[in-house]
Amino acid sequence: MDKKALYALSYGVYVVTTWDNGRPTGCTANSAMQITSSPATIAVSVNRDNYTNGVIAESGHFAVNVIAEDSDPTVIGRFGFFSGRDTDKFDGVPYSVKGAMPVPDTACAYICCKVVDKMETSTHTVFLGEVLDAGVVGSGRAPMTYAYYHNVIKGKTAKNAPTYQGD
């Protein structure tokens, strides 16, 4: 496991992925953080209305994929503004399997986890995951921060994001 991948976490832009009966699925998230270093534990917040939430709860596994600044912004939109209930979000999105989880090529780091606990809020589930595998993809690719997403890419906040404030 490359623990340097944990340093790539920031208040940023992530694609949280999992397997839905052998089909990769996931959603865009902006709330992920390292909780402990030993054992390495990650928390990620996923809206309860997101299809990915139920799939993570059922499968017991997820990956936090840190999106790079040089990523195609349409990938963020695809995972953030469509539902996996009726859309194959990975259709046309290149990915590989790392640590037994789907990792989109837009990631500069990935952190694969086993769910060890969860906390329910009124709108979101915070999944706690013990890190099973992690890695840095490519070298020198900067992680996309949420500020970069808004200020440089001019991205919008999805309705299901924890930071959504409406119009």
Side-chain angles (χ1 to χ4, degrees), residues 67-86:
I67 302 303
E69 283 183 351
D70 63 0
S71 297
D72 179 352
T74 62
V75 172
I76 298 163
R78 181 173 190 85
F79 283 89
F81 292 93
F82 296 91
S83 173
R85 284 181 188 87
D86 47 36

Side-chain angles (χ1 to χ4, degrees), residues 146-155:
Y146 205 48
Y148 183 92
Y149 172 71
H150 281 289
N151 298 329
V152 176
I153 294 178
K154 306 294 185 200

Side-chain angles (χ1 to χ4, degrees), residues 7 18 21 25 35-36 39 55-56 60-62 67-68 75 83 90 94 100 110 133 139 150 153-154 166:
Y7 293 127
T18 190
N21 296 315
T25 194
I35 300 297
T36 62
V55 178
I56 292 171
H61 291 86
F62 65 89
I67 302 303
V75 172
S83 173
F90 277 89
Y110 65 91
D133 190 24
S139 63
H150 281 289
I153 294 178
K154 306 294 185 200

Side-chain angles (χ1 to χ4, degrees), residues 57 80 93 111 151:
V93 175
I111 304 164
N151 298 329

Side-chain angles (χ1 to χ4, degrees), residues 3-164:
K3 290 191 174 187
K4 286 185 277 186
L6 299 174
Y7 293 127
L9 282 176
S10 66
Y11 190 72
V13 181
Y14 313 102
V15 171
V16 179
T17 58
T18 190
W19 292 106
D20 180 19
N21 296 315
R23 176 181 73 109
T25 194
C27 65
T28 301
N30 61 4
S31 296
M33 65 181 189
Q34 183 177 348
I35 300 297
T36 62
S37 60
S38 183
T41 306
I42 298 295
V44 65
S45 178
V46 179
N47 191 292
R48 289 169 47 189
D49 290 339
N50 285 8
Y51 182 72
T52 303
N53 184 305
V55 178
I56 292 171
E58 186 168 317
S59 73
H61 291 86
F62 65 89
V64 173
N65 299 281
V66 182
I67 302 303
E69 283 183 351
D70 63 0
S71 297
D72 179 352
T74 62
V75 172
I76 298 163
R78 181 173 190 85
F79 283 89
F81 292 93
F82 296 91
S83 173
R85 284 181 188 87
D86 47 36
T87 302
D88 179 355
K89 293 184 182 183
F90 277 89
D91 184 30
V93 175
Y95 74 96
S96 56
V97 177
K98 298 185 184 295
M101 297 303 295
V103 175
D105 289 356
T106 57
C108 62
Y110 65 91
I111 304 164
C112 302
C113 301
K114 173 181 74 172
V115 175
V116 293
D117 207 349
K118 65 181 181 173
M119 178 183 75
E120 297 292 341
T121 71
S122 60
T123 59
H124 287 69
T125 303
V126 177
F127 292 99
L128 294 180
E130 181 179 339
V131 177
L132 302 176
D133 190 24
V136 174
V137 182
S139 63
R141 294 178 72 205
M144 184 182 297
T145 66
Y146 205 48
Y148 183 92
Y149 172 71
H150 281 289
N151 298 329
V152 176
I153 294 178
K154 306 294 185 200
K156 304 292 183 204
T157 301
K159 181 181 173 192
N160 286 352
T163 54
Y164 179 75

